[in-house]
Amino acid sequence: MSAPPRILLVEDTPAQAELAKALLRDAGVEIRHAETAGQALADALAHPPDAILLDLELPDFSGFELMRKLRAEGVEAAVIVVTANASVNTAVEAMRQGAVDFIVKPYAKARLTVTLTNALEKRALTQELKTVRAQLSRDRFYGFIGASAPMQAIYRTIESVAASRASVFITGESGTGKELAAEAVHKASPRAAKPFVALNCGAIPRDLLESEVFGHVKGAFTGATDNRIGAARQADGGTLFLDEIGEMPLEMQVKLLRFVQTGSFQPVGASRTEKVDVRFVCATNRDPLAEVEAGRFREDLYYRLYVVPLELPPLRARDADAVLIARALLTQASREEGKRFRGFAPEAERAILAYAWPGNVRQLQNVVRNVVVLHEGEQVTAAMLPPMLLRAAPRAPAGAAPAEAPAVAPVVVPVVVPVAAPVAVPGSMAPVAEVQLALPAPAPPVLAPPVAAPPVEAALPPPAVSVELPPPPVVVEPLAVMEKRLILAALAETAQDVSRAAALLQINPSTVYRKLQQWKAAGELL
Amino acid sequence: MPVLDPDIAGQLAEDLPREDFLRIIRTFQTDLARLTQELVGAAQRGDIRAFQQAAHSLAGASAAVGATRLEAAARLGMAGAQPPSPALAAQIGTEAEAALAALAALTA
């Protein structure tokens, strides 16, 4: 039940004040009474009223003056002017000053209550409209940056579901902010003061996953030298976020299902079950239903966890959010790197907007960081952006695959090689040599970190060399074949360094390891 | 013009529980005593602003209980920049006594 509307009665004549209070006694409102304008101002600030019944002739200053002061202080109550002076001028002035209605003394009970009820209803509608407008125009929400309509829908869903205990299943492309969404669900919930425990099911070796989730007792297996609390116990009272849930082995899914159903689990090697109060949030960048149909994800677990779906839109479907995010990232990166960048040039913002961002926010983050690290100035110009952004075709419609997402698209990966010391080269004052290599790259090209340059001979040609080979003909092959080829190419490019290869591909190292295991098991690798 | 407007006073008696109605009349009596004193004092000092303020309050209070003749007299004192008239103050005093008597009869 909501609190009764608060009415501030501003009336210096006791008989009038008594009369108004008596007439409103059974109106279901809470009345406070001020005899002077000064007292009314102080009261309105201390106890913001929903409506003010205002006598114009007050001992210290006029009711009109009080209305101006209230407005200046941000008091948004509905003001009803009550006066013994029934002149048209007074009424006009009252409305001009923002009064919602006007009552002439003496008034009957019905006149007062109807006027007050109307004013309160109007104010409630105005407040509701204001709230809705504010919600529709939010550009930040628990770590998210974005004002687009798809993100407003995400914010509203998170707010709606936060208070519940229902499991949330987050889907979305890589880099769309699934963990951020999980944290937002937690922070907006009554569990916010309790732990948020995130576990990446794809990054943990399958043999260790059960112990990571449920913990183990000393001696449970070789190497279990002590009792260890798992994520389930750590998250007691809070939220357990299971990222990349689609990577969870089937045998572990059975145990998770029991835990989800009963809230009970058994640490590895323990003889007793433990019970906790945990809210589940899961995420995957796969289509969970397709995983169920393919037999890789248990249907019963799917239905237990897929209670409130939350599908995060890709950056290309988020209107102008890419620019909003880029600005925020630029501020942050500039601060962290000690640079002076304050914003983007209009053509740079147009390029950011036009690009499809197949790697989503994570890719945008990398690009902004790279620009900040490699350049100086107050404004990021289009020339500072990676070439792929400048060549980008207009964005595909929302929901369509990103223009550069297919791995077959040849993409120029700029490798920027800073020279150890500026070298006087005829025709060039640039201290940085830029070499662009045309390589078939996975969707989001990564700018390689600066590496030490070889010694530069004075006889070398000018250092700014740009070699861009024509794109090779595209041969469409099964995605799995392309995926394998790309991963192996990245490994070859990085001398079999899985972490660097994964960084080049903008995927998790665990995915590379998993794929290698799969191919080995299938005899597809030597 | 009657001392009390039967519509207003009757409406009040109808709208409000008797206890509330009596309290308002008592409050009005207290208001009258204070405001007529202020009027007389302002008239004696020639304080136009104080006279008009007291007249305004008196007009509002008397209108609230339907004391129409007293309200009309008080309204005369609300407007104009003329020096406050002791005669008007005396007239207001007379109308106040008549209004109190009529209200006493109504609540008896």
Side-chain angles (χ1 to χ4, degrees), chain A residues 3 18 114 256 261 272 293 310 335 363 421 445 451 469 483 488 510:
Chain A
E18 279 301 324
V114 167
L256 181 64
Q261 282 174 329
R272 288 184 184 172
E293 284 164 2
L310 194 65
R335 190 176 58 242
Q363 186 191 8
V451 295
L469 300 177
E483 178 188 62
L488 295 179
S510 60

Side-chain angles (χ1 to χ4, degrees), chain B residues 7 26-28 35 39 49 56-57 62 66 69 87-88 99-100 102 108:
Chain B
D7 285 346
R26 281 196 296 273
T27 309
F28 175 66
L35 291 170
L39 272 174
R49 174 74 187 138
H56 175 90
S57 296
S62 45
R69 275 205 341 228
L88 180 57
L100 283 176

Side-chain angles (χ1 to χ4, degrees), chain A residues 12-16 18-19 22-23 25 55 57-59 83-85 105-106 108-110, chain B residues 8 11-12 15-16 20 23-24 27-28 31 34-35 49 53 56-57 60-61 63-64 75:
Chain A
D12 65 324
T13 310
Q16 283 285 352
E18 279 301 324
L19 177 62
L23 292 176
R25 193 178 307 285
D55 182 23
E57 197 72 29
L58 295 165
T83 180
N85 185 351
K105 299 171 187 173
K109 181 179 183 177
Chain B
I8 296 172
Q11 184 77 52
L12 274 185
D15 280 347
L16 297 173
D20 284 348
R23 193 178 56 255
I24 287 166
T27 309
F28 175 66
D31 281 358
R34 176 177 59 83
L35 291 170
R49 174 74 187 138
Q53 269 192 346
H56 175 90
S57 296
R75 282 186 183 280

